[in-house]
């Protein structure tokens, strides 16, 4: 048992790692106890047969304030998607670009049947409106569903069905667009003002960069904390650790007793990887499946964006299926996915590489905030909490919650 630490952090996801960085900068002694075999939480990358596989398709939005604050983008060697999307629909494929940032896409965007001319100009107006709206204004503004917001903004059902629904479903991981309109405005603003990118060597480089300031004895892997009592934590192998303050930085499902409370809803996703000798498409874009009754929501050819994702140059194709598909037979699921892809890529010979079923991928974001309420991050005198579920489901919110919780702990220990 240790009793000379300032803070024990439970969980080495982005929130916990950011908190550790802030606490160390304030001169506090820290130890992170992480249940898994590596830091990162929901953001991690594995090497499989010469390919880099992110556990769930994720991108870093470079306009995020917290990532700008804590990450060295240059060291991550960020590889960028083009703004816009390749839309897969009943008649084939069409492209929606961002003419403000890529003027060469103006003609193809205006000609795209994914929406009307009026829709394209409404999109421009929305971008300009959100450019002039601060993040604080977004998160304190009125709140409705994303679907209602888009309808009230005058977008046609065609544009909502062909572009907004598959695009935002891939981000929100729910297909009813019940997610808060505040979250839509925030995400759309971030996409408009920065790039969607991945580190050259995988999303897992983000937590590894955050963890690089920790000494080897400051992060202990394979240690699952099962309970907290005052300033003491007990792990699943009956080890007891103590510190002046405890910070819970797990997701909602992994919180230790007596604070564990299963949320009423959260979002799941299945991420499937296939390889092929040639790329299904060559544009550096996310492809969106706009069919009404679909299995695959979005597609990305990862090594088209970041070549190091594929060691031998074969295409690495990431497919996202919204919801929990873990109970479907894996061979059956692969067959269904490949049959669906045949409509647009009939000559492809795809080989299944790996499937990830991610039960807890995002918290429910029907109501979101950007600043926690008073004492929202303090559970008891000694125990604090952080995580994107307290604010909104994003990399930015995970890191912000970690920073704010760390600052609250520093203030409590003065």
């Amino acid at each position: 048992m240790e009793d000379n630490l300032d803070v024990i952090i439970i969980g080495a996801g982005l929130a916990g790692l950011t908190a550790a960085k802030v606490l160390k900068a304030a001169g506090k002694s820290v130890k992170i106890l992480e249940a898994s075999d590596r830091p990162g939480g929901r953001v991690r990358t594995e090497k499989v047969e010469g390919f880099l596989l992110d556990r769930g398709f994720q991108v870093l939005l470079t306009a995020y304030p917290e990532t700008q604050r804590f990450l060295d983008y240059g060291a991550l060697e960020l590889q960028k998607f083009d703004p816009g999307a390749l839309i897969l629909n009943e008649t084939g494929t069409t492209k929606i670009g961002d003419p403000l940032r890529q003027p060469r896409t103006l003609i193809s965007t205006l000609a795209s049947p994914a929406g009307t001319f009026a829709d394209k100009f409404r999109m421009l107006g929305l971008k300009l409106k959100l450019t002039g709206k601060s993040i604080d204004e977004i998160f304190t503004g009125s709140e409705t569903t994303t679907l209602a917001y888009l309808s009230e903004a005058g977008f046609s059902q065609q544009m909502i069905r062909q572009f907004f629904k598959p695009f935002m479903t891939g981000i929100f991981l729910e297909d009813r667009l019940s997610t808060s309109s505040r979250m839509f405005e925030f995400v759309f603003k971030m996409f408009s003002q920065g790039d969607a990118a991945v580190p050259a060597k995988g999303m897992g480089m983000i937590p590894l960069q955050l963890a690089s300031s920790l000494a080897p004895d400051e992060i202990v892997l394979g240690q699952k904390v099962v309970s907290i009592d005052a300033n003491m934590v007990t792990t699943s192998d009956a080890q007891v650790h103590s510190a002046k303050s405890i910070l819970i930085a797990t997701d909602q499902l992994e919180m230790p007793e007596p604070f564990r409370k299963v949320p009423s809803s959260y979002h799941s996703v299945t991420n499937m990887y296939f390889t092929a000798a040639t790329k299904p498409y060559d544009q550096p874009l996310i492809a969106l499946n706009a069919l009404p009754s679909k299995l695959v929501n979005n597609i990305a050819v990862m090594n088209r964006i970041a070549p190091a994702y594929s060691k031998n140059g074969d295409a690495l194709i990431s497919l996202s299926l919204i919801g929990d598909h873990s109970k479907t037979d894996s061979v059956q699921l692969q067959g269904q996915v490949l049959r669906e892809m045949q409509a647009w890529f009939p000559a492809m010979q795809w080989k299944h590489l790996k499937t990830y079923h991610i039960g807890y991928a995002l918290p429910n974001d029907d109501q979101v905030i950007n600043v926690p309420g008073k004492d929202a991050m303090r559970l008891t005198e000694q125990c604090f909490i952080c995580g994107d579920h307290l604010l909104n489901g994003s990399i930015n919110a995970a890191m912000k919650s970690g920073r704010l919780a760390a600052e609250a702990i520093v203030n409590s220990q003065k």
Side-chain angles (χ1 to χ4, degrees), residues 21 59-80 186 190 193-203 205-206 209-210 395-396 399:
K21 193 175 181 75
V59 296
L60 171 63
L61 300 184
T62 60
Y64 279 154
E66 297 295 323
T67 56
Q68 289 181 355
R69 182 174 187 157
F70 289 107
L71 297 178
D72 179 347
Y73 286 179
L76 291 173
E77 299 177 76
L78 294 178
Q79 312 292 301
K80 301 166 185 176
F186 173 64
M190 294 296 98
Q193 294 182 195
D195 294 299
V198 293
K201 297 179 182 177
M203 289 293 289
M205 296 305 294
I206 294 173
Q209 186 181 100
L210 289 172
I395 287 174
N396 185 75
M399 294 177 66

Side-chain angles (χ1 to χ4, degrees), residues 318-375:
S318 170
L319 307 178
S320 295
L321 290 66
I322 307 306
D324 183 359
H325 299 269
S326 60
K327 293 180 174 59
T328 304
D329 175 78
S330 59
V331 174
Q332 180 185 348
L333 190 63
Q334 291 168 36
Q336 291 173 337
V337 163
L338 291 175
R339 282 192 294 276
E340 190 169 271
M341 293 296 99
Q342 282 283 318
W344 302 286
F345 314 114
M348 292 295 298
Q349 297 294 317
W350 294 15
K351 175 189 172 188
H352 177 255
L353 187 60
K354 187 161 184 175
T355 294
Y356 295 98
H357 296 291
I358 305 164
Y360 185 101
L362 278 178
N364 180 296
D365 277 338
D366 286 0
Q367 283 87 41
V368 296
I369 54 175
N370 193 44
V371 178
K374 189 176 183 297
D375 297 328

